[in-house]
Amino acid sequence: MSIQPTPGPPPGQGRGGDRPPETPEEPPGGAPQREAGPAAPTLRPARPRWRETLSLLAHNPTAAIASVLLLLIVVVAFFDDTLAPQGANEISVADRLQPPSWEHPFGTDDLGRDILSRVILGASVSLRVGFLAVGFALVVGTLIGLLAGYYGRWVDDVLMRFMDMLFAFPAVLLAIAVLAVRGPGSGNTALAIGIVYTPIFARVTRASVLGVREEVYVRASRSVGASDWRILTRHILPNAAPPIIVQTSISLAFAVLAEAALSFLGLGTQPPNPSWGLMLAEGRGFIELAWWLAFFPGMAIFLTVLCFNLLGDGLRDVLDPRQRTQMAGSSRAAATETGGEA
Amino acid sequence: MGDVLVSARGLEVHFPVRGGGKGGGVLRAVDGVDLDVLRGETLGLVGESGCGKSTLGNALLRLVPPTGGTVTFDGTDVTSLDRRGLKEMRRRAGMVFQDPFASLDPRRTVAQTVSEPLEVHGLRSGRRERAARVAELLELVGLDPAVAGRYPHEFSGGQRQRVGIARALAGEPDFLVCDEAIASLDVSVQAQVLNLLRRLQRQLGLTLLFVSHDLSAVRHISDRIAVMYLGRIVEIGPAAAVGADPQMPYTQALLSAVPVPHPAKERARERIVLRGDVPSPSAVPSGCRFRTRCPYVFEPCDDVDPALQPAGAPGQLAACHLHGVEGTPVTETPEGVTADP
């Protein structure tokens, strides 16, 4: 989710990936643009932070490859109906348990269903559950962490002890409990995984907020009369965000895995709907007879999880302020100061 | 001049200290300060690091909650203000912080930083009006308005401090606290920022509290100087009088430590070197708090805490028993003075 460029880069400027190495705004090109400013000064940033992040990410080979692969997986998941050669449940008994061939690149399962089609169609199920679960955990956990970290005292105690309670449960047990109450299905699976991951986000956010809260610019903002809400949303959240972003990426990997695990246990996606975890479970019985049943969905899980993890690592490096200054800070010319005082 | 804009009476800021005895003690950062800042003046507040001068500056704006005493700002009691009153007070009183690298949010552009007070107080409606005001403010502090879209890391320390000053001025304040505003700048830039502050003070009719440990800078900019030691104001008076003829032994020692930019005079300069370290603000000595290091200690110093009383030039006050209280100076060091408090 974080790798997709948000809409609306200024026209005429390429996206992160197209940029030449280092910062493209070198004095020759950048200066005239800025000199046009004085007549109509603008409140818009010269170069948004996320674009800098993107261009830095593009120079981290592993993260760049992982992003591209993930983008590919997301695109495949999005256009699954068009891309899948067959429907998910087109049964052809004559073609059952066919090994990979030109006609069925990933082979067929015991009902003669095309594995490639099911892997493609399963991508949207797995990813949707992953995104929903992490989205839930991100929103709820970040909010709890923000409030706990910023207000401290009893707010912190109450909220974080509650999170500790959730945290103390074994994750799978907690998810099973949620699913036992609400019944199986992808929506409930997402909710269950989301609840399991909420304390992680709360903790990461709180830790990050505790550091940012004491910054002088937070006090400076208070000194001009800014409200708590404004300070939280405009200053603390943006500055506390990097670890949360990294956590999001890594949690997506675990959420996809968790969905697979719960489906494997029969609690997640229900047959005959395709989901990678479910396909893995169904293929288990044929593993000696037809390895491709389990192998390809397994590879899909492996690749997705690996990519989310690599992206998370890359983001961690790129968003680290110290590394960031090393990589980008020095390359920009300082602004000119008009007339010194005398 | 004449009427009081900001006034503190018996102001105390005590911080609880963990450890150090059962239940922990208190750190008396500000310990009973009476201070009047007159409208339109520049008051310099000097003292060693750790003497509580920054805490005092923060407490006047209620950025640090006072634990005792009162602060009045233009007639209203700051310590009992409700949310709305506090917000308005913070529009009318700005603050410039010490470290310009830490006081600007690294993720917000100069324009966003400077326009924050405008948004918070609804001073300019609409993007365009705010942008125009931001440009005006940047120009006022000597920055090119074209830099509005840039991020703090693209600026030098002096430029950042100008941005910080522009932010503090955005709400059109009456009162500006400069908390060590030049301490972390290069010397050449210090002079520029100092002169900028002086120009702004005159141009905008500001009342300035200039907190600094740099006596020469304070003498350069201030109308009056207040000297702080261990959470208390020990001497206050017109800058010329305090600078030329300090009445409190601590001020004398402080002044004698300032180098003179004249080789012959510098060589002849007599330095008063104080013994020992500043006592911890969590264990303030009884009586006069300066007695453990004072070269002139005599009987009343051990027991009686001296109040500020007229000494030297008109308008000059010093908290010292050498002025007013009867007694004979002792030549021998009284016992217990050198021991750790």
Side-chain angles (χ1 to χ4, degrees):
Chain A
M1 65 200 296
S2 43
I3 52 156
Q4 299 173 63
T6 43
Q13 298 205 339
R15 294 191 165 164
D18 317 328
R19 293 181 163 276
E22 290 308 313
T23 18
E25 288 183 1
E26 294 301 330
Q33 249 181 321
R34 218 168 280 118
E35 289 317 305
T42 167
L43 288 179
R44 272 182 202 290
R47 191 175 181 217
R49 199 78 176 189
W50 61 266
R51 297 185 50 139
E52 194 170 288
T53 304
L54 272 190
S55 86
L56 284 176
L57 208 56
H59 292 108
N60 180 333
T62 19
I65 293 169
S67 317
V68 170
L69 275 176
L70 277 177
L71 206 63
L72 210 67
I73 293 171
V74 170
V75 167
V76 166
F78 200 77
F79 296 107
D80 53 354
D81 282 336
T82 356
L83 286 170
Q86 286 186 16
N89 295 309
E90 275 179 42
I91 295 169
S92 160
V93 185
D95 290 333
R96 61 200 294 264
L97 294 175
Q98 292 295 310
S101 64
W102 281 113
E103 205 183 336
H104 300 290
F106 288 3
T108 60
D109 68 5
D110 55 318
L111 296 174
R113 296 176 294 192
D114 181 41
I115 306 256
L116 175 63
S117 303
R118 284 176 68 78
V119 166
I120 290 174
L121 291 159
S124 63
V125 176
S126 291
L127 288 183
R128 195 183 319 125
V129 170
F131 281 128
L132 280 176
V134 174
F136 176 87
L138 176 71
V139 171
V140 178
T142 302
L143 191 67
I144 290 175
L146 265 182
L147 297 176
Y150 183 70
Y151 288 104
R153 296 164 186 269
W154 66 267
V155 181
D156 188 21
D157 287 338
V158 171
L159 290 175
M160 292 320 286
R161 289 306 79 75
F162 181 61
M163 289 294 105
D164 285 347
M165 266 163 55
L166 283 184
F167 214 46
F169 269 102
V172 173
L173 206 64
L174 183 58
I176 289 173
V178 173
L179 288 172
V181 173
R182 300 194 40 109
S186 351
N188 289 339
T189 312
L191 181 68
I193 300 171
I195 290 175
V196 169
Y197 287 165
T198 299
I200 302 177
F201 278 92
R203 282 192 166 189
V204 167
T205 308
R206 176 178 172 274
S208 186
V209 168
L210 284 180
V212 176
R213 186 179 69 166
E214 304 300 331
E215 293 285 351
V216 182
Y217 55 76
V218 171
R219 199 148 48 90
S221 180
R222 194 169 295 130
S223 82
V224 300
S227 60
D228 283 351
W229 176 249
R230 187 187 174 87
I231 290 173
L232 274 172
T233 53
R234 305 284 176 96
H235 296 284
I236 293 194
L237 188 56
N239 283 289
I244 306 173
I245 294 172
V246 173
Q247 186 61 46
T248 304
S249 178
I250 289 171
S251 292
L252 278 168
F254 283 106
V256 169
L257 264 185
E259 192 275 338
L262 288 172
S263 298
F264 185 90
L265 293 173
L267 291 161
T269 312
Q270 296 301 300
N273 292 331
S275 136
W276 294 340
L278 190 59
M279 291 168 73
L280 207 57
E282 289 169 349
R284 192 182 42 140
F286 300 91
I287 195 84
E288 286 171 33
L289 204 66
W291 53 269
W292 54 91
L293 257 66
F295 177 79
F296 290 107
M299 280 306 286
I301 295 171
F302 165 72
L303 207 63
T304 311
V305 170
L306 181 70
C307 286
F308 274 126
N309 271 321
L310 290 178
L311 177 64
D313 284 349
L315 280 171
R316 193 200 311 272
D317 292 345
V318 166
L319 293 173
D320 180 345
R322 275 157 301 171
Q323 294 218 24
R324 191 174 190 120
T325 12
Q326 270 174 18
M327 290 188 281
S330 55
S331 61
R332 297 220 219 160
T336 42
E337 202 167 349
T338 60
E341 304 292 321
Chain B
M1 285 271 230
D3 67 327
V4 175
L5 180 65
V6 186
S7 158
R9 283 292 167 269
L11 187 64
E12 284 177 2
V13 183
H14 292 178
F15 297 109
V17 190
R18 248 174 255 161
K22 53 177 184 199
V26 285
L27 187 144
R28 302 165 177 217
V30 177
D31 195 22
V33 163
D34 296 329
L35 181 67
D36 288 327
V37 187
L38 307 179
R39 198 183 295 273
E41 79 167 342
T42 299
L43 177 66
L45 183 61
V46 288
E48 286 169 272
S49 27
C51 73
K53 52 192 191 301
S54 284
T55 310
L56 174 58
N58 278 286
L60 290 179
L61 305 189
R62 224 176 100 179
L63 287 170
V64 172
T67 47
T70 57
V71 177
T72 46
F73 181 84
D74 205 9
T76 48
D77 183 4
V78 171
T79 40
S80 63
L81 280 177
D82 61 359
R83 185 191 292 232
R84 190 178 296 170
L86 189 64
K87 191 173 155 189
E88 174 60 12
M89 197 279 272
R90 285 181 176 163
R91 182 191 70 72
R92 298 189 53 197
M95 182 133 185
V96 180
F97 293 85
Q98 168 170 4
D99 183 356
F101 287 82
S103 66
L104 303 180
D105 187 336
R107 288 180 189 275
R108 312 204 84 208
T109 61
V110 165
Q112 287 173 320
T113 294
V114 174
S115 70
E116 179 155 52
L118 306 177
E119 290 168 38
V120 166
H121 300 289
L123 293 177
R124 293 288 188 284
S125 52
R127 255 174 193 281
R128 193 160 298 165
E129 283 76 11
R130 279 201 296 272
R133 173 71 175 142
V134 166
E136 200 178 297
L137 285 161
L138 290 178
E139 221 148 354
L140 187 67
V141 298
L143 286 172
D144 183 349
V147 305
R150 301 235 186 155
Y151 286 92
H153 74 256
E154 299 175 69
F155 294 89
S156 68
Q159 291 170 327
R160 287 180 185 213
Q161 198 57 297
R162 286 168 194 264
V163 174
I165 294 169
R167 165 176 59 194
L169 292 176
E172 294 170 41
D174 307 312
F175 181 46
L176 203 60
V177 174
C178 300
D179 181 10
E180 297 274 17
I182 60 163
S184 40
L185 303 176
D186 291 341
V187 177
S188 57
V189 183
Q190 281 188 353
Q192 288 179 15
V193 173
L194 206 59
N195 288 328
L196 169 67
L197 285 169
R198 196 162 63 167
R199 194 197 77 202
L200 291 170
Q201 190 263 333
R202 285 179 190 158
Q203 195 174 332
L204 306 172
L206 293 171
T207 304
L208 217 61
L209 179 69
F210 189 82
V211 180
S212 178
H213 62 262
D214 181 347
L215 252 173
S216 20
V218 167
R219 271 201 281 187
H220 178 71
I221 196 173
S222 306
D223 300 314
R224 286 198 305 151
I225 294 178
V227 182
M228 210 165 161
Y229 183 78
L230 266 186
R232 187 73 67 83
I233 286 177
V234 294
E235 177 157 7
I236 183 167
V242 173
D245 185 21
Q247 298 297 316
M248 165 80 192
Y250 177 64
T251 318
Q252 290 164 2
L254 210 57
L255 278 171
S256 81
V258 180
V260 186
H262 186 291
K265 285 184 191 165
E266 170 67 15
R267 268 191 297 273
R269 182 165 66 95
E270 205 176 309
R271 293 200 53 193
I272 305 169
V273 180
L274 293 176
R275 293 169 298 153
D277 290 324
V278 189
S280 160
S282 50
V284 177
S286 65
C288 175
R289 53 197 64 217
F290 185 56
R291 71 175 165 86
T292 55
R293 303 171 75 197
C294 183
Y296 306 111
V297 274
F298 60 118
E299 286 105 43
C301 300
D302 285 352
D303 311 313
V304 186
D305 194 358
L308 281 169
Q309 49 210 325
Q316 192 172 1
L317 304 172
C320 182
H321 292 304
L322 289 172
H323 306 281
V325 174
E326 297 287 314
T328 35
V330 285
T331 44
E332 291 294 311
T333 307
E335 54 176 323
V337 164
T338 46
D340 275 348

mmCIF file of all heavy atoms in Angstrom, chain B residues 242-268:
data_model
loop_
_atom_site.group_PDB
_atom_site.id
_atom_site.type_symbol
_atom_site.label_atom_id
_atom_site.label_comp_id
_atom_site.label_asym_id
_atom_site.label_seq_id
_atom_site.Cartn_x
_atom_site.Cartn_y
_atom_site.Cartn_z
ATOM 1 N N VAL B 242 23.856 47.687 36.265
ATOM 2 C CA VAL B 242 24.245 46.327 36.612
ATOM 3 C C VAL B 242 25.559 45.962 35.929
ATOM 4 O O VAL B 242 26.422 45.299 36.507
ATOM 5 C CB VAL B 242 23.130 45.326 36.240
ATOM 6 C CG1 VAL B 242 23.586 43.899 36.444
ATOM 7 C CG2 VAL B 242 21.873 45.595 37.047
ATOM 8 N N GLY B 243 25.711 46.433 34.684
ATOM 9 C CA GLY B 243 26.926 46.107 33.938
ATOM 10 C C GLY B 243 28.158 46.799 34.503
ATOM 11 O O GLY B 243 29.238 46.209 34.533
ATOM 12 N N ALA B 244 27.976 48.043 34.942
ATOM 13 C CA ALA B 244 29.141 48.806 35.372
ATOM 14 C C ALA B 244 29.408 48.671 36.865
ATOM 15 O O ALA B 244 30.563 48.655 37.296
ATOM 16 C CB ALA B 244 28.939 50.282 35.009
ATOM 17 N N ASP B 245 28.361 48.580 37.645
ATOM 18 C CA ASP B 245 28.557 48.603 39.088
ATOM 19 C C ASP B 245 27.663 47.581 39.777
ATOM 20 O O ASP B 245 26.690 47.934 40.442
ATOM 21 C CB ASP B 245 28.251 50.025 39.595
ATOM 22 C CG ASP B 245 28.556 50.156 41.083
ATOM 23 O OD1 ASP B 245 29.344 49.334 41.602
ATOM 24 O OD2 ASP B 245 27.986 51.067 41.710
ATOM 25 N N PRO B 246 27.955 46.313 39.601
ATOM 26 C CA PRO B 246 27.098 45.292 40.200
ATOM 27 C C PRO B 246 27.184 45.331 41.713
ATOM 28 O O PRO B 246 28.245 45.571 42.281
ATOM 29 C CB PRO B 246 27.660 43.980 39.639
ATOM 30 C CG PRO B 246 29.055 44.301 39.246
ATOM 31 C CD PRO B 246 29.095 45.742 38.870
ATOM 32 N N GLN B 247 26.066 45.115 42.379
ATOM 33 C CA GLN B 247 25.996 45.220 43.830
ATOM 34 C C GLN B 247 26.021 43.867 44.530
ATOM 35 O O GLN B 247 26.286 43.781 45.711
ATOM 36 C CB GLN B 247 24.717 45.977 44.230
ATOM 37 C CG GLN B 247 24.671 47.396 43.704
ATOM 38 C CD GLN B 247 25.799 48.255 44.278
ATOM 39 O OE1 GLN B 247 26.093 48.207 45.472
ATOM 40 N NE2 GLN B 247 26.459 49.029 43.412
ATOM 41 N N MET B 248 25.721 42.839 43.803
ATOM 42 C CA MET B 248 25.655 41.506 44.390
ATOM 43 C C MET B 248 26.960 40.773 44.076
ATOM 44 O O MET B 248 27.415 40.807 42.931
ATOM 45 C CB MET B 248 24.432 40.806 43.775
ATOM 46 C CG MET B 248 24.367 39.317 43.957
ATOM 47 S SD MET B 248 23.765 38.814 45.582
ATOM 48 C CE MET B 248 24.188 37.076 45.537
ATOM 49 N N PRO B 249 27.595 40.156 45.041
ATOM 50 C CA PRO B 249 28.882 39.496 44.775
ATOM 51 C C PRO B 249 28.826 38.496 43.619
ATOM 52 O O PRO B 249 29.792 38.365 42.866
ATOM 53 C CB PRO B 249 29.170 38.772 46.099
ATOM 54 C CG PRO B 249 28.408 39.519 47.124
ATOM 55 C CD PRO B 249 27.205 40.073 46.453
ATOM 56 N N TYR B 250 27.677 37.838 43.463
ATOM 57 C CA TYR B 250 27.583 36.873 42.365
ATOM 58 C C TYR B 250 27.671 37.572 41.022
ATOM 59 O O TYR B 250 28.381 37.138 40.112
ATOM 60 C CB TYR B 250 26.273 36.096 42.472
ATOM 61 C CG TYR B 250 26.072 35.139 41.329
ATOM 62 C CD1 TYR B 250 26.939 34.059 41.147
ATOM 63 C CD2 TYR B 250 25.045 35.308 40.405
ATOM 64 C CE1 TYR B 250 26.786 33.187 40.088
ATOM 65 C CE2 TYR B 250 24.888 34.451 39.345
ATOM 66 C CZ TYR B 250 25.751 33.388 39.193
ATOM 67 O OH TYR B 250 25.596 32.527 38.145
ATOM 68 N N THR B 251 26.940 38.700 40.890
ATOM 69 C CA THR B 251 26.986 39.454 39.643
ATOM 70 C C THR B 251 28.401 39.958 39.375
ATOM 71 O O THR B 251 28.872 39.965 38.241
ATOM 72 C CB THR B 251 26.019 40.650 39.709
ATOM 73 O OG1 THR B 251 24.814 40.228 40.324
ATOM 74 C CG2 THR B 251 25.728 41.191 38.345
ATOM 75 N N GLN B 252 29.062 40.381 40.449
ATOM 76 C CA GLN B 252 30.441 40.865 40.285
ATOM 77 C C GLN B 252 31.325 39.768 39.717
ATOM 78 O O GLN B 252 32.107 39.999 38.784
ATOM 79 C CB GLN B 252 30.984 41.329 41.641
ATOM 80 C CG GLN B 252 30.325 42.607 42.132
ATOM 81 C CD GLN B 252 30.571 42.855 43.611
ATOM 82 O OE1 GLN B 252 31.266 42.106 44.284
ATOM 83 N NE2 GLN B 252 29.965 43.929 44.129
ATOM 84 N N ALA B 253 31.171 38.553 40.249
ATOM 85 C CA ALA B 253 31.977 37.442 39.758
ATOM 86 C C ALA B 253 31.637 37.118 38.311
ATOM 87 O O ALA B 253 32.511 36.874 37.477
ATOM 88 C CB ALA B 253 31.744 36.219 40.641
ATOM 89 N N LEU B 254 30.329 37.146 38.028
ATOM 90 C CA LEU B 254 29.862 36.845 36.671
ATOM 91 C C LEU B 254 30.452 37.840 35.680
ATOM 92 O O LEU B 254 30.974 37.464 34.620
ATOM 93 C CB LEU B 254 28.325 36.933 36.669
ATOM 94 C CG LEU B 254 27.529 36.064 35.724
ATOM 95 C CD1 LEU B 254 27.850 34.597 35.932
ATOM 96 C CD2 LEU B 254 26.041 36.312 35.921
ATOM 97 N N LEU B 255 30.393 39.119 36.030
ATOM 98 C CA LEU B 255 30.889 40.160 35.141
ATOM 99 C C LEU B 255 32.402 40.082 34.975
ATOM 100 O O LEU B 255 32.927 40.340 33.897
ATOM 101 C CB LEU B 255 30.505 41.541 35.683
ATOM 102 C CG LEU B 255 29.095 41.994 35.365
ATOM 103 C CD1 LEU B 255 28.764 43.255 36.137
ATOM 104 C CD2 LEU B 255 28.954 42.238 33.869
ATOM 105 N N SER B 256 33.084 39.714 36.036
ATOM 106 C CA SER B 256 34.542 39.669 35.954
ATOM 107 C C SER B 256 35.009 38.548 35.035
ATOM 108 O O SER B 256 36.168 38.492 34.647
ATOM 109 C CB SER B 256 35.129 39.479 37.348
ATOM 110 O OG SER B 256 35.086 38.121 37.717
ATOM 111 N N ALA B 257 34.092 37.641 34.689
ATOM 112 C CA ALA B 257 34.471 36.537 33.825
ATOM 113 C C ALA B 257 34.310 36.868 32.351
ATOM 114 O O ALA B 257 34.688 36.082 31.497
ATOM 115 C CB ALA B 257 33.625 35.296 34.171
ATOM 116 N N VAL B 258 33.742 38.036 32.049
ATOM 117 C CA VAL B 258 33.542 38.395 30.645
ATOM 118 C C VAL B 258 34.833 38.989 30.085
ATOM 119 O O VAL B 258 35.351 39.945 30.632
ATOM 120 C CB VAL B 258 32.402 39.429 30.516
ATOM 121 C CG1 VAL B 258 32.199 39.810 29.064
ATOM 122 C CG2 VAL B 258 31.123 38.877 31.115
ATOM 123 N N PRO B 259 35.351 38.423 29.027
ATOM 124 C CA PRO B 259 36.591 38.963 28.453
ATOM 125 C C PRO B 259 36.362 40.364 27.885
ATOM 126 O O PRO B 259 35.275 40.694 27.424
ATOM 127 C CB PRO B 259 36.915 37.998 27.318
ATOM 128 C CG PRO B 259 36.010 36.830 27.482
ATOM 129 C CD PRO B 259 34.833 37.294 28.254
ATOM 130 N N VAL B 260 37.372 41.185 27.941
ATOM 131 C CA VAL B 260 37.278 42.541 27.409
ATOM 132 C C VAL B 260 37.994 42.573 26.066
ATOM 133 O O VAL B 260 39.134 42.113 25.969
ATOM 134 C CB VAL B 260 37.955 43.556 28.372
ATOM 135 C CG1 VAL B 260 37.727 44.978 27.892
ATOM 136 C CG2 VAL B 260 37.440 43.368 29.781
ATOM 137 N N PRO B 261 37.383 43.114 25.040
ATOM 138 C CA PRO B 261 38.035 43.127 23.717
ATOM 139 C C PRO B 261 39.100 44.218 23.615
ATOM 140 O O PRO B 261 39.030 45.081 22.749
ATOM 141 C CB PRO B 261 36.863 43.361 22.761
ATOM 142 C CG PRO B 261 35.847 44.087 23.565
ATOM 143 C CD PRO B 261 36.023 43.663 24.981
ATOM 144 N N HIS B 262 40.046 44.226 24.518
ATOM 145 C CA HIS B 262 41.121 45.225 24.512
ATOM 146 C C HIS B 262 42.293 44.565 25.227
ATOM 147 O O HIS B 262 42.238 44.347 26.450
ATOM 148 C CB HIS B 262 40.639 46.475 25.272
ATOM 149 C CG HIS B 262 41.631 47.620 25.200
ATOM 150 N ND1 HIS B 262 42.850 47.586 25.833
ATOM 151 C CD2 HIS B 262 41.551 48.804 24.567
ATOM 152 C CE1 HIS B 262 43.487 48.702 25.588
ATOM 153 N NE2 HIS B 262 42.726 49.468 24.820
ATOM 154 N N PRO B 263 43.382 44.261 24.496
ATOM 155 C CA PRO B 263 44.454 43.432 25.081
ATOM 156 C C PRO B 263 44.981 43.959 26.410
ATOM 157 O O PRO B 263 45.096 43.199 27.373
ATOM 158 C CB PRO B 263 45.536 43.458 24.015
ATOM 159 C CG PRO B 263 44.812 43.758 22.755
ATOM 160 C CD PRO B 263 43.642 44.609 23.113
ATOM 161 N N ALA B 264 45.263 45.250 26.485
ATOM 162 C CA ALA B 264 45.847 45.791 27.716
ATOM 163 C C ALA B 264 44.874 45.662 28.872
ATOM 164 O O ALA B 264 45.216 45.191 29.956
ATOM 165 C CB ALA B 264 46.230 47.255 27.498
ATOM 166 N N LYS B 265 43.626 46.073 28.602
ATOM 167 C CA LYS B 265 42.618 45.996 29.657
ATOM 168 C C LYS B 265 42.329 44.551 30.030
ATOM 169 O O LYS B 265 42.092 44.230 31.192
ATOM 170 C CB LYS B 265 41.317 46.676 29.199
ATOM 171 C CG LYS B 265 41.385 48.192 29.212
ATOM 172 C CD LYS B 265 40.026 48.780 28.845
ATOM 173 C CE LYS B 265 40.144 50.273 28.598
ATOM 174 N NZ LYS B 265 38.965 50.811 27.920
ATOM 175 N N GLU B 266 42.355 43.697 29.001
ATOM 176 C CA GLU B 266 42.084 42.290 29.247
ATOM 177 C C GLU B 266 43.155 41.709 30.181
ATOM 178 O O GLU B 266 42.851 40.932 31.080
ATOM 179 C CB GLU B 266 42.036 41.519 27.916
ATOM 180 C CG GLU B 266 42.007 40.004 28.031
ATOM 181 C CD GLU B 266 40.728 39.450 28.657
ATOM 182 O OE1 GLU B 266 39.744 40.190 28.761
ATOM 183 O OE2 GLU B 266 40.731 38.273 29.061
ATOM 184 N N ARG B 267 44.417 42.103 29.967
ATOM 185 C CA ARG B 267 45.487 41.578 30.822
ATOM 186 C C ARG B 267 45.333 42.100 32.242
ATOM 187 O O ARG B 267 45.596 41.393 33.202
ATOM 188 C CB ARG B 267 46.857 41.970 30.260
ATOM 189 C CG ARG B 267 47.419 40.913 29.321
ATOM 190 C CD ARG B 267 48.890 41.197 28.998
ATOM 191 N NE ARG B 267 49.043 42.470 28.291
ATOM 192 C CZ ARG B 267 48.947 42.580 26.950
ATOM 193 N NH1 ARG B 267 48.686 41.521 26.216
ATOM 194 N NH2 ARG B 267 49.113 43.735 26.372
ATOM 195 N N ALA B 268 44.854 43.352 32.341
ATOM 196 C CA ALA B 268 44.727 43.958 33.671
ATOM 197 C C ALA B 268 43.470 43.506 34.387
ATOM 198 O O ALA B 268 43.302 43.747 35.575
ATOM 199 C CB ALA B 268 44.719 45.486 33.526
#
